[in-house]
Amino acid sequence: MTIQTKNQRYERKQKQKGLVKRTLWIPAGVEVEVKQMIQFLLENPDYVPAQARSLKTGRFKKID
């Protein structure tokens, strides 16, 4: 029997949920919005982000 650390057990459970671990560097000014989008996607797996809104103009742009 292999002894697993608390972190290894956590990561195994996340993988079993179908999640993938990624590290991203994001601008500090959009940290809250990125966290909100990720939380929304976790709670609503049938959705995908399809567009982004400019903070300067308010216009939306399709994500290719």
Side-chain angles (χ1 to χ4, degrees):
M1 181 165 151
T2 304
I3 298 174
Q4 291 186 332
T5 65
K6 190 176 188 179
N7 192 59
Q8 288 171 327
R9 287 190 303 271
Y10 170 77
E11 288 190 11
R12 181 176 40 82
K13 287 180 184 180
Q14 296 299 82
K15 286 179 183 178
Q16 289 173 345
K17 292 179 186 177
L19 302 176
V20 179
K21 183 177 180 179
R22 295 289 180 252
T23 300
L24 299 173
W25 289 93
I26 59 172
V30 296
E31 179 182 4
V32 172
E33 289 81 2
V34 171
K35 284 183 178 182
Q36 289 174 340
M37 177 57 75
I38 291 169
Q39 186 62 41
F40 175 83
L41 294 172
L42 288 171
E43 294 170 359
N44 301 280
D46 294 338
Y47 286 81
V48 295
Q51 58 185 354
R53 183 175 54 90
S54 168
L55 295 175
K56 290 181 181 178
T57 66
R59 293 183 179 176
F60 286 91
K61 182 171 181 175
K62 182 179 177 182
I63 298 172
D64 294 326

